[in-house]
Amino acid sequence: MSTPANRSRPLAKPIEATPLFGYPKYWAECYGTAPYLPMSRQEMDDLGWDSCDIIIVCGDAYVDHPSFGMAVMGRFLESQGFRVGIIAQPDWRSAEAFKALGKPNLFFGVSAGNMDSMINRYTADLKVRNDDAYTPDGAPGKRPDRAVTVYSQRCKEAYKDVPIVLGGIEASLRRIAQYDYWSDEVRRSVLLDSTADILLYGNAERAIAEVAHELALGKSIEDLKDIRGTAVMRSSVPAGWTEIDSTRIDWPQHVDEISNPYEFDSKEDGSCAKKDDLADGEEQPVRIIPMPLQGKSVWEMENTYIRLPSFEKVSKDAVLYSHASRVLHQESNPHNARVLVQKHGNRELWVNPPPIPLETEEMDGVFALPYQRRPHPSYGDAKIPAYDMIKTSVNIMRGCFGGCTFCSITEHEGRVIQSRSQESVLKEIEAITETVPGFTGTISDLGGPTANMYHLNCKDPMIHANCRRLSCVFPTICKNLVTDHSQTTQLYRKARQIKGVKRVAIASGLRYDLAVRDPEYVKELVTHHVGGYLKIAPEHSEMDTLNKMMKPGMDTYYDFKRMFDKYSKEAGKEQYLIPYFIAAHPGCEDTDMLNLSLWLKKNKFRVDQVQTFYPSPMSLATAMYHSERDPLHKLSYKSKKIYIPRKLEQRRLQKAFLRYHDPKNWAFLRKALLDMNRKDLIGDGANQLVPWEDKVPGRQGKQYKGYNKAIGAQGRSAGDGEGRPKARKSTDSRRPTTGKKPKGHGGRGPKARRR
């Protein structure tokens, strides 16, 4: 069958990968399994090791649990036959701590930990946090800012000839030039700043297995240029590739006037030669196709890359930055994504397509590795808050196809849901009941990035392989998406039957627009797995803002609430929904927050935990924040600007609207309502937002003396960079660095399961 002329390439097909556990094991497998991966020379001696093959350096305390990235990578590499050591939270002020286990035979693996080190340390208002959930006793200050960069440089200082492999969420979200909220600038790919050799992004089991085995076979790290899920630097683009030029956004309207790029290829001297003139065996040079013409003919996807605007351009042009972000997100399906190339100075950043998702059997294998499920004994009786939160929770899947623009889970874990088998999950629950000290009978969570995407994927592999949607559920739920929750419902029922389990809670975020498609699931959830309160995340009430977030409208919330109330009543339980909302999201105006505040009062919500938008690296909402443009739509320099609550005053006001009931906010809100010409909302009426006078307990009727003080503290204007961390020199002196519980990327607490 011939390929239509207007299609850029034949239909993509699902791509198969080397089985995760299919590599021949490295010779060091003879040493067997370590009780804990060693953190000291003494532990290495006890194991009979003279050296480590791989050393993982990480910003978190070492917890040997499948919710902690260093444990998963370490135990997985151990299963491949390698001797793996751990350097956890080293003192980065010198290179000595990085020599603790000696020189690794193959490479250093460097990660900031389960959270980005900057988000871990600073709040959305750029204040230093008082604790660190991934550190013994929650102590702050145990990791540097931009930990991936600092650790990598120290490893190079310790052993300059040892390859450095970057991984984890901090590296993953900084794989290309990215806007950095903390310094208010676009920074280079972390691969350059860190001086590392290769970067692994996403869930990296496939990539790290290939890197480790190739190096073990004697290959040089410079030879590993085409591994999926990696980013590397090249001096130039190899010959024989087709380039789709996406370095500009305002193209001529009449694209037919551009000469046909398929008929001729440029020679080095600038002349042209037809393809037939190439000598036999001569390498075809790179041919360049302007983005507007990419759909006019057919070429091989395997040898095609997209050229993004260079770092130098996106660092100076915010609209072009937003365009590059849009292109990156469109190239996220592992089965049809193309290589991305971005020039940094005179070098080419080469980002290979995403890794092929793990099959269920491979996921089961990863979670069946011999984890001790507790912190390393060297921490003694110290409490690690993140571990305490997840020690009786079970991760049942990876990935998220929701595509919320403010969340970085999709950029890191991908849109393809990777699920474990029910048998694997149930075995882990049984292990918890038998091995976790002080287990009380409660499984604190069965979930992942989202509670109810377990085994939900596209109904047709071919349709999925060719899909480029940013979300399977926005603006509507895709007709090809399987929404049958029966596997999740069955899993819940089986989990409750396990001996020793009294209750199974669901703490991960619920995608309620999916849940309403399966009433049986909602009934099961509400009847057996809600302990009085269920947290959900409408995020906002106003459609303009929700569209910028790629979230559903409130009609879906009302549909779910009716089902929730119905099944709660049938179960004879008094239960409530606890909604989460975001303030100061790009595109959200003060009137939108005012309307949300009125919605909250009308529905008798007084929210305590509120979230201000945090511009995490690489998210689409961060591109909106930086560029004042909406990359969900095709961009031009004439694209309409969107409102950005950027100044500290604006962000505080929007957050204050969420907590309209807090007397500390009344003076601030009164002033804002008067400025907005909404004097009608000030008073004690049922439909009014704040009273005319601050009521102080024990002093009713007297005006609060802190009125002017509150205005001064919260109402003063703040510049775009106010409150940012003070720039300081990094370890190589070349680049500047700078609620309740700490929040993960797009999550609602320190869910310790991001790699």
Side-chain angles (χ1 to χ4, degrees), residues 322-504:
S322 193
H323 162 74
S325 178
R326 174 177 167 83
V327 174
L328 179 141
H329 283 82
Q330 289 177 330
E331 298 296 323
S332 61
N333 184 334
H335 300 290
N336 62 39
R338 292 161 285 197
V339 170
L340 299 176
V341 176
Q342 186 177 52
K343 187 174 285 294
H344 283 61
N346 60 358
R347 302 183 70 193
E348 304 281 10
L349 173 68
W350 184 274
V351 182
N352 287 299
I356 301 302
L358 300 189
E359 299 293 336
T360 293
E361 295 77 11
E362 294 172 323
M363 284 280 286
D364 289 353
V366 169
F367 282 86
L369 295 171
Y371 307 101
Q372 295 284 352
R373 301 191 64 86
R374 62 190 71 186
H376 189 274
S378 63
Y379 300 121
D381 296 330
K383 300 291 184 182
I384 300 175
Y387 167 70
D388 289 339
M389 175 171 280
I390 56 82
K391 64 183 178 181
T392 62
S393 73
V394 180
N395 192 349
I396 65 176
M397 44 80 69
R398 291 177 180 172
C400 180
F401 51 66
C404 301
T405 60
F406 53 82
C407 178
S408 297
I409 290 175
T410 298
E411 284 72 33
H412 180 56
E413 294 198 4
R415 291 181 172 81
V416 182
I417 302 303
Q418 304 160 74
S419 302
R420 300 167 62 183
S421 68
Q422 291 186 18
E423 292 73 21
S424 172
V425 174
L426 297 173
K427 283 181 181 179
E428 184 171 351
I429 295 174
E430 290 174 353
I432 290 173
T433 66
E434 296 168 358
T435 62
V436 173
F439 178 66
T440 61
T442 297
I443 299 298
S444 59
D445 189 24
L446 284 184
T450 307
N452 60 318
M453 289 186 182
Y454 182 64
H455 282 290
L456 301 190
N457 272 306
C458 188
K459 67 181 182 182
D460 187 313
M462 282 296 291
I463 292 174
H464 174 247
N466 289 276
C467 180
R468 287 182 177 272
R469 282 185 62 160
L470 299 184
S471 170
C472 298
V473 292
F474 182 88
T476 59
I477 295 177
C478 178
K479 64 181 181 181
N480 297 308
L481 178 67
V482 174
T483 58
D484 175 13
H485 288 54
S486 59
Q487 289 221 46
T488 313
T489 304
Q490 293 168 13
L491 179 63
Y492 289 178
R493 291 170 178 166
K494 292 176 180 177
R496 294 200 307 271
Q497 300 303 314
I498 292 177
K499 183 179 179 181
V501 172
K502 300 175 183 177
R503 178 173 175 263
V504 178

Side-chain angles (χ1 to χ4, degrees), residues 125-147:
D125 289 335
L126 298 170
K127 295 180 180 178
V128 177
R129 299 189 193 273
N130 297 321
D131 55 10
D132 182 342
Y134 296 91
T135 300
D137 292 327
K142 295 297 185 180
R143 75 186 81 211
D145 288 359
R146 311 187 192 286

